[in-house]
Amino acid sequence: MTPSTLLVRDIHTLVTMDGRDSVLHGAFLFAEGGQIRKIGVRGKLPRADIVIDGRHAVVIPGLVNTHHHLYQTLTRAYAPAANAELFEWLRALYPVWARIDEESLYAAAQVGMAELLLSGCTTTSDHHYLFPRGQDRLIDVEIAAARRIGIRFHATRGSMSVGESQGGLPPDSVVQDEDQILADCERLIGRYHDPSPGAMVRIALAPCSPFSVSPRLMRATADLAERRGVRLHTHLAETRDEEEYCLQHFGKRPLDLLDEVGWLSGRTWLAHGIFFNRREVSRLGKAGTGIAHCPTSNMRLGSGCAPVPALRGAGCPVGLGVDGSASNDSSHMLAEARQALLLHRLIHGAAGMTVLDALRMATVEGARCLGRDDIGSLESGKRADFAMIDLRDVGFSGAGDALSALLLCAPARVRTLVVEGKVVVDEGELRTLALPPLLRRHRAASRRMLRGGRLSSSGNTDHHVKVVSDL
Ligand SMILES: [Zn+2]
């Protein structure tokens, strides 16, 4: 079968994010079989199976989300945790989250992914670390959800192994045995990890945080990642409480602990990275460790602000993460880029972060965090992942510069979104699944989770059957 072709013509503003930050006007983009073949402003237009009108649109590379906990869409704005800092927030939510099961996670993942897609995101990672007893296939469920909705997905196999009885923060009911964790990591890599360019699914390994896993598990995970050629992800330096925990339990600051267990490398990207001193920033830069900067979550929980300009200056790729939906409580990637821009201007002045800096983090640098050079920019040879935003929206009316408008005006939803050459959002609507029935299932799952009921104990609902057949 000949690969299908797609042409976007007469693009008002095309933001390439190539190394020269080229911005083209009146341009076209031609893709074949999921890959960009040509971008130009002049010449004869190639013929294509699908032709999209690019007038009145800004086209940007698909945004890359480097940190999320999709299951948390079920517990947005949870009242007992609405005004809490991280540790208190976690303690309030762990018992509710302990009720997660396959059906509720399938709906939660798709809702988060739908939000991401509609906000311009074509690639997301997810950090799932919660595996209540008997729920051993939750990463498989997330991958099935991603495949169905059509988003590029980096599933990170999270883990927690040190419960309250061992001095950790999570309740014992949600921690797993370390050998079982490592065996499941092996299984997932073998079954799903695709290292080839254009991969729609990759696996990374992601022990949750210093206060929920042991140094032994961190070390064994790093060895496994090295052996199987996958990336490493974890939360680090998110709060002062975490720093104190590390000093108390390990006699070390979080970064020293990370270094000791073999994680200070270019294979790793860290969520948050707020409390690093100058020397630590330079060590991270030398190692080429990536940072998933999550400004909304950090502000929402009152955690602090990552030293983003210093980290980038030191050589760390810094991507953006919306973080879990119980601490954002939104999965809008364009809004996250705007939040990053405004936060760092507040701290470093208007020149401290440009619109292009914020977009760079949301695209190419995020892609580097995930270990990819085939996405994040619009150039011949890269994957055909892009978002189109309509400048005729009321919020853009009167805007002078189309690129600046994307981040300075109110965050918009996309008109069209293409992932791997396939139209996933068209005229502002998801093409791959119907949103209203998904939202009904999601709201019901959320209500039952908050009430304490079990969703699919017998596994005999129609939807559960569908989930299992998708796996
Ligand atoms: Zn997180």
Side-chain angles (χ1 to χ4, degrees):
M1 200 177 83
T2 347
S4 73
T5 51
L6 177 146
L7 173 73
V8 192
R9 55 177 298 172
D10 305 317
I11 301 168
H12 180 286
T13 302
L14 173 70
V15 184
T16 63
M17 303 312 289
D18 62 6
R20 303 171 303 284
D21 294 335
S22 313
V23 177
L24 310 175
H25 300 282
F28 71 87
L29 181 156
F30 176 71
E32 184 177 17
Q35 191 173 34
I36 299 173
R37 295 284 183 204
K38 197 168 183 192
I39 286 173
V41 281
R42 266 179 289 279
K44 196 161 169 286
L45 293 176
R47 293 170 64 87
D49 304 326
I50 300 169
V51 179
I52 300 172
D53 181 1
R55 285 175 300 166
H56 317 291
V58 188
V59 172
I60 56 172
L63 305 176
V64 178
N65 179 38
T66 58
H67 188 64
H68 208 321
H69 310 287
L70 289 160
Y71 75 91
Q72 292 179 9
T73 57
L74 295 162
T75 55
R76 289 189 227 244
Y78 180 56
N83 300 301
E85 292 197 358
L86 182 70
F87 278 20
E88 195 192 327
W89 174 91
L90 281 170
R91 285 194 188 99
L93 280 158
Y94 280 139
V96 182
W97 292 339
R99 299 180 197 124
I100 193 85
D101 63 10
E102 290 182 8
E103 187 178 352
S104 54
L105 181 61
Y106 190 78
Q110 287 197 327
V111 163
M113 289 166 181
E115 274 187 280
L116 288 165
L117 291 164
L118 290 166
S119 74
C121 175
T122 51
T123 300
T124 189
S125 60
D126 190 65
H127 188 175
H128 191 85
Y129 51 80
L130 199 82
F131 298 86
R133 302 263 181 281
Q135 299 293 334
D136 301 326
R137 291 290 182 271
L138 296 179
I139 300 287
D140 307 63
V141 165
E142 288 195 302
I143 291 170
R147 285 180 168 162
R148 175 76 181 76
I149 205 167
I151 199 165
R152 209 181 283 285
F153 189 48
H154 284 229
T156 79
R157 204 298 184 183
S159 49
M160 299 200 290
S161 64
V162 181
E164 264 171 333
S165 64
Q166 307 297 313
L169 203 71
D172 289 356
S173 62
V174 291
V175 303
Q176 289 181 297
D177 170 77
E178 297 193 346
D179 292 333
Q180 183 192 354
I181 291 167
L182 292 163
D184 195 48
C185 291
E186 290 264 18
R187 177 186 74 82
L188 288 165
I189 297 167
R191 176 149 188 201
Y192 296 108
H193 182 67
D194 177 2
S196 60
M200 290 298 288
V201 174
R202 284 192 187 164
I203 301 289
L205 306 183
C208 188
S209 64
F211 48 85
S212 56
V213 298
S214 72
R216 173 195 173 264
L217 181 64
M218 292 290 284
R219 218 173 274 119
T221 304
D223 290 345
L224 174 55
E226 175 91 34
R227 185 157 53 76
R228 301 297 301 265
V230 299
R231 294 182 70 73
L232 290 165
H233 182 52
T234 190
H235 294 97
L236 203 83
E238 182 178 0
T239 62
R240 287 281 183 218
D241 288 341
E242 175 202 318
E243 191 176 296
E244 270 164 39
Y245 182 97
C246 287
L247 289 168
Q248 247 178 38
H249 286 75
F250 311 112
K252 289 183 181 60
R253 291 175 52 76
L255 191 72
D256 293 327
L257 175 68
L258 195 84
D259 197 357
E260 190 188 85
V261 293
W263 275 58
L264 186 56
S265 81
R267 189 182 288 288
T268 302
W269 87 103
L270 303 169
H272 307 296
I274 296 171
F275 296 101
F276 292 132
N277 60 36
R278 288 230 307 265
R279 224 172 50 81
E280 290 171 334
V281 167
S282 117
R283 284 165 68 195
L284 285 157
K286 276 201 190 82
T289 303
I291 304 290
H293 176 41
C294 307
T296 305
S297 168
N298 299 156
M299 286 191 262
R300 199 275 208 194
L301 295 172
S303 303
C305 176
V308 167
L311 286 161
R312 294 178 78 220
C316 297
V318 178
L320 296 181
V322 297
D323 203 0
S325 298
S327 70
N328 182 324
D329 308 37
S330 144
S331 305
H332 198 303
M333 262 308 282
L334 210 49
E336 204 61 29
R338 181 173 199 255
Q339 197 79 282
L341 177 75
L342 298 179
L343 173 62
H344 292 286
R345 285 191 173 186
L346 181 68
I347 295 172
H348 307 287
M353 184 165 295
T354 66
V355 169
L356 267 175
D357 282 332
L359 258 189
R360 235 179 250 123
M361 293 197 289
T363 55
V364 271
E365 285 186 50
R368 278 180 63 202
C369 285
L370 300 187
R372 299 192 74 133
D373 59 9
D374 58 340
I375 56 170
S377 65
L378 299 178
E379 300 170 82
S380 177
K382 304 278 174 173
R383 308 316 299 177
D385 287 11
F386 58 88
M388 296 178 64
I389 293 117
D390 199 318
L391 292 164
R392 291 169 297 182
D393 186 88
V394 63
F396 294 131
S397 193
D401 175 48
L403 165 59
S404 307
L406 286 187
L407 296 196
L408 298 181
C409 301
R413 275 193 173 188
V414 300
R415 181 173 91 202
T416 306
L417 186 95
V418 172
V419 186
E420 189 66 5
K422 294 187 186 70
V423 178
V424 175
V425 177
D426 186 27
E427 294 300 332
E429 301 287 339
L430 266 181
R431 272 246 193 127
T432 44
L433 55 79
L435 213 42
L438 167 63
L439 295 179
R440 274 197 295 279
R441 282 203 311 275
H442 184 255
R443 283 192 295 265
S446 170
R447 277 195 300 272
R448 277 178 284 205
M449 198 168 178
L450 295 175
R451 266 209 318 260
R454 204 63 185 180
L455 266 175
S456 49
S457 52
S458 62
N460 62 356
T461 64
D462 284 354
H463 185 66
H464 187 73
V465 172
K466 172 88 183 75
V467 171
V468 171
S469 68
D470 270 359
L471 294 182

